[in-house]
Amino acid sequence: MNKDFLTSLYLSGVDVSKPKACLGPYFTALSPYERVCILGAGKAAADMAQEAYRYFGNNAYGAVVTRYGYEATGSTGNIKVMSASHPVPDENSVIAANTLMDIASRVPKNEQVIFLISGGGSALACAPAKGVTLEEKLILHKFLLRSGASIEEMNTVRKHVSLIKGGRLAAASKGKNTSLVISDVVGDNPAFIASGLTVQDNSTPDEALAILEQYGWDEDSGIAEHLKHAPPLPKISGDYHIVANANTAIDAAVKSAQTEGWNTHVISYAETGEAAEVAKRHAEIALDYKRKGKTCLLFSGGELTVTLGDTEGEGGPNQEYLMVLAEALQEQAGICALAADTDGVDGSKDVAGGYIDESTLSRASEKGLDLKKLIKQHNSFAFFDGLKDHIIIGPTRTNVNDFRVICVF
């Protein structure tokens, strides 16, 4: 019952973040009878293109790139849907980036251009800067993923070794640019969502180089050398709208819970930091509610990180958060929790996240799962796989980051 209920809250947050639910009001401000160029990148890009075709019909043309398996289920008309790899780019990411740049460069002056941007766009549209190879970018990408760097730091670096990021896609267009964005970045900074493909960015190559130095990147590498001489990012203009984010997702879940008579509290829409440390803090909040005899649903969003170091563990921030939360709660009766990524993928496996309750530790012990060892190894996938307590819903075709809810009853 509790798992099903918390899953339903999670799904209510996902549903309100899908293109079908959030794009309509922004399209209706534009004429459906004029030619419009649609360009996009991200996990939601294909479904966003589908909604564009639904509104503009054959007046819409262009291309978008999404993750393998995230292609639209309906027609996108004259809007081509390309697929590439995420979170690590591949050759199709380069092809997609060059295709988007080529179409943008051929848009007639004053023609309407709508950029459909969502989380994942940074890896999916990936064209190395002149003098940087794809292999070098892949090495950099894997380094950043394992370093514990925030998504903001990673994107700052990526845009300065790219031909398309940091506003360069919009700068290639002579049309009337409008960006419609599903945000997967804490705080919704436009410069960080999909590495700011279509917005003005004020970061510098020196800042990107400082981030790499902070996390121990080789100063003698070709990428470091490129950053020492990289050009500044372009000046661009255009309209920009956030159409969905963590706030809208959590608010939808809160509203759903309140209709069921629950007291609710949003710990934060914008949690960041190491998953283990946030879990310990959230455990204290939940235990305090329990000590006071208060029933409540505690919600939080944002994006947590896991610094892998030398370990090879599989899983993701939401699963690690739940492992540490379970350890901190010590099977306290009357507390359960769910944590999952709204894109349907948490970390390295195609699972959204997981669920814990007061029986988690005892069941883990019965199955021979060494919780402390798995936490040390950052091997959260094995823990939840062994318990059969993963949340698995497949590609959601949207992404507004983490969704966490702790139930104190």
Side-chain angles (χ1 to χ4, degrees):
M1 168 61 184
N2 289 326
K3 184 176 183 179
D4 290 343
F5 176 57
L6 296 190
T7 300
S8 73
L9 295 178
Y10 161 65
L11 292 176
S12 69
V14 169
D15 288 345
V16 77
S17 307
K18 291 184 176 182
K20 187 175 183 179
C22 64
L23 279 178
Y26 298 91
F27 285 151
T28 55
L30 303 170
S31 170
Y33 306 112
E34 297 179 6
R35 184 173 163 88
V36 57
C37 179
I38 302 293
L39 297 170
K43 296 175 185 176
D47 272 25
M48 294 174 89
Q50 181 176 308
E51 293 308 309
Y53 174 64
R54 192 192 308 274
Y55 182 77
F56 296 104
N58 289 328
N59 288 319
Y61 74 97
V64 301
V65 58
T66 193
R67 180 180 178 173
Y68 298 125
Y70 283 58
E71 297 81 4
T73 55
S75 177
T76 58
N78 297 321
I79 308 168
K80 179 182 180 181
V81 175
M82 302 173 286
S83 302
S85 176
H86 182 278
V88 180
D90 62 4
E91 291 290 347
N92 283 335
S93 304
V94 179
I95 293 171
N98 287 326
T99 299
L100 295 176
M101 289 292 283
D102 179 60
I103 295 173
S105 69
R106 291 186 282 110
V107 171
K109 189 175 182 180
N110 293 324
E111 183 171 279
Q112 181 68 56
V113 181
I114 300 178
F115 297 105
L116 302 176
I117 307 299
S118 57
S122 186
L124 296 166
C126 173
K130 186 176 180 180
V132 177
T133 67
L134 178 60
E135 182 180 2
E136 286 175 321
K137 283 203 72 173
L138 291 177
I139 293 171
L140 171 67
H141 190 85
K142 292 176 181 177
F143 169 82
L144 290 169
L145 286 175
R146 295 182 63 86
S147 69
S150 69
I151 187 65
E152 292 83 3
E153 290 172 323
M154 286 192 278
N155 283 346
T156 294
V157 175
R158 288 167 177 165
K159 68 187 64 173
H160 288 284
V161 293
S162 172
L163 286 179
I164 188 171
K165 298 175 175 61
R168 293 182 179 93
L169 177 58
S173 164
K174 299 181 181 68
K176 296 184 292 185
N177 297 337
T178 297
S179 298
L180 301 179
V181 182
I182 295 177
S183 172
D184 70 330
V185 169
V186 177
D188 301 330
N189 187 329
F192 293 134
I193 303 168
S195 295
L197 292 167
T198 65
V199 296
Q200 179 66 49
D201 186 277
N202 297 317
S203 68
T204 67
D206 285 344
E207 289 171 347
L209 188 59
I211 290 169
L212 289 182
E213 291 172 350
Q214 175 186 342
Y215 290 102
W217 180 257
D218 182 3
E219 293 185 23
D220 295 326
S221 72
I223 283 179
E225 190 62 27
H226 167 79
L227 289 172
K228 293 174 185 177
H229 307 285
L233 296 172
K235 301 293 183 182
I236 61 170
S237 60
D239 295 330
Y240 185 94
H241 304 281
I242 298 287
V243 301
N245 60 10
N247 297 50
T248 55
I250 291 173
D251 286 346
V254 167
K255 182 177 180 181
S256 178
Q258 289 175 345
T259 61
E260 297 284 335
W262 280 90
N263 295 317
T264 61
H265 172 63
V266 178
I267 298 173
S268 173
Y269 292 102
E271 287 281 18
T272 58
E274 285 290 317
E277 296 306 312
V278 174
K280 293 171 186 175
R281 177 160 49 82
H282 286 190
E284 285 301 316
I285 295 172
L287 290 169
D288 187 55
Y289 269 86
K290 190 65 182 177
R291 283 191 292 267
K292 294 175 180 177
K294 297 180 178 179
T295 61
C296 192
L297 290 169
L298 307 170
F299 292 90
S300 63
E303 183 171 50
L304 306 182
T305 54
V306 176
T307 302
L308 291 172
D310 295 329
T311 65
E312 296 292 339
E314 293 183 315
N318 289 290
Q319 294 165 80
E320 172 132 337
Y321 166 89
L322 286 172
M323 277 205 307
V324 177
L325 186 68
E327 181 182 48
L329 292 174
Q330 285 297 303
E331 295 196 316
Q332 171 64 58
I335 302 180
C336 59
L338 176 148
D341 201 313
T342 53
D343 68 355
V345 179
D346 182 44
S348 58
K349 297 287 188 177
D350 288 339
V351 298
Y355 169 84
I356 64 167
D357 59 23
E358 60 196 58
S359 71
T360 294
L361 296 187
S362 59
R363 288 188 294 118
S365 179
E366 290 170 3
K367 294 181 180 296
L369 296 169
D370 187 333
L371 178 60
K372 291 185 180 298
K373 181 178 180 180
L374 291 171
I375 289 175
K376 187 176 182 179
Q377 295 173 338
H378 302 295
N379 199 3
S380 54
F381 178 84
F383 183 75
F384 287 98
D385 188 52
L387 294 174
K388 305 304 177 188
D389 268 338
H390 274 126
I391 303 298
I392 303 174
I393 61 170
T396 65
R397 298 177 176 85
T398 190
N399 186 15
V400 292
N401 273 336
D402 301 337
F403 178 99
R404 293 175 295 273
V405 57
I406 302 173
C407 178
V408 182
F409 58 98

